[in-house]
Amino acid sequence: MAYFLDNYPVLENSNALSLTQEQEEFCRVVYKLNENGDAYFSELWNPDKDYSDEYVVVRLKSTGGKFVYLEPKNIANVINSGGEPKPAGVNSWLKFWLDKTGTRGGVSQCSTDSYFYYSDGNEEKRYERILFPVEDSRGKNDDQEINAACCGLLVGAHIIYDKTEAAEVEEGGEVYIIPICEAHNKCHPIVPYGKPAMRWGTGYYMKLRGATKAVKLIGYLKKVGEYIEQLKKEGAASEK
């Protein structure tokens, strides 16, 4: 079972984050331990998923980020970053971006150029139609076919930069948070040529519409393994 480090030190530069009690409880980040006892970003916490003792789960305020500008290039989604509860979780990552970038008055526009791209050999093409996940009256997911354009609320999305394919982030990889719409964050392409279905948020890449404010996540929790061992000695390590 994963280690839940509710008392892991809060970063000083995260103290300005204004989170509700619900957001404090559910907005967590999952890190994976490596052989050196450090931990690197794995995904957003999904309360319905089982994690082994290779993982540690910390509160949002225990992670940090650096304000940077991204030049208009290709971007893609981070696989396994979509487990955050809603609506509190989604809003908090957007709030995290607003606070870190010093953006006042909110944000109203998706950071993408509104299109969904894929490569057909060496040729770049755009999808015309996509599938948008919606919940029916019984709480089950259904697929709604819509035009391949921006749709839904803005979210603070985890993306990889200068890439043309969604991917999990390996040790040493870079993850950025930017505001994009729900469609670009979690849609599913209507796959051409009869190819097998792909995971939500994959099968396409995006383009930034211009220079974009972003938050580069701090990728590592240093010496977290030592912290866990100390908690074990004190009988205070929490596994769930």
Side-chain angles (χ1 to χ4, degrees), residues 15-205:
N15 283 327
L17 282 176
S18 177
L19 302 179
T20 66
Q21 185 176 355
E22 182 182 13
Q23 289 170 338
E24 288 275 10
E25 176 63 25
F26 288 103
C27 300
R28 300 171 184 256
V29 183
V30 180
Y31 284 80
K32 186 174 183 179
L33 289 162
N34 64 17
E35 60 185 12
N36 299 319
D38 300 328
Y40 61 93
F41 174 82
S42 177
E43 59 186 271
L44 304 184
W45 179 55
N46 181 348
D48 297 322
K49 181 176 177 179
D50 292 327
Y51 298 93
S52 71
D53 60 5
E54 296 179 286
Y55 296 90
V56 295
V57 182
V58 297
R59 295 183 185 275
L60 177 60
K61 285 190 175 183
S62 296
T63 66
K66 179 182 179 182
F67 172 27
V68 297
Y69 272 101
L70 298 179
E71 293 301 315
K73 292 186 177 182
N74 299 325
I75 59 172
N77 287 316
V78 176
I79 293 177
N80 284 334
S81 70
E84 190 174 20
K86 298 173 184 176
V90 168
N91 290 338
S92 73
W93 281 110
L94 191 57
K95 180 70 163 59
F96 185 67
W97 178 87
L98 290 167
D99 288 342
K100 289 293 183 182
T101 60
T103 302
R104 300 290 178 260
V107 59
S108 60
Q109 189 176 44
C110 179
S111 299
T112 74
D113 66 357
S114 83
Y115 300 113
F116 291 73
Y117 295 89
Y118 67 98
S119 294
D120 178 15
N122 295 321
E123 186 178 356
E124 181 177 83
K125 293 187 176 182
R126 296 200 306 240
Y127 287 106
E128 295 184 2
R129 303 283 288 176
I130 53 174
L131 297 175
F132 189 81
V134 294
E135 263 191 15
D136 62 22
S137 58
R138 297 169 294 175
K140 293 185 178 181
N141 286 330
D142 195 11
D143 304 343
Q144 178 180 345
E145 185 176 333
I146 62 173
N147 289 327
C150 290
C151 176
L153 300 174
L154 290 181
V155 301
H158 290 63
I159 59 99
I160 47 179
Y161 181 61
D162 200 14
K163 303 292 183 182
T164 58
E165 186 174 352
E168 294 191 28
V169 178
E170 298 181 351
E171 184 173 350
E174 296 180 351
V175 176
Y176 298 86
I177 297 177
I178 62 170
I180 66 176
C181 68
E182 285 182 298
H184 279 100
N185 187 47
K186 64 180 184 181
C187 267
H188 190 302
I190 300 175
V191 186
Y193 317 124
K195 293 180 181 178
M198 291 168 279
R199 302 171 65 167
W200 294 108
T202 69
Y204 58 89
Y205 62 94

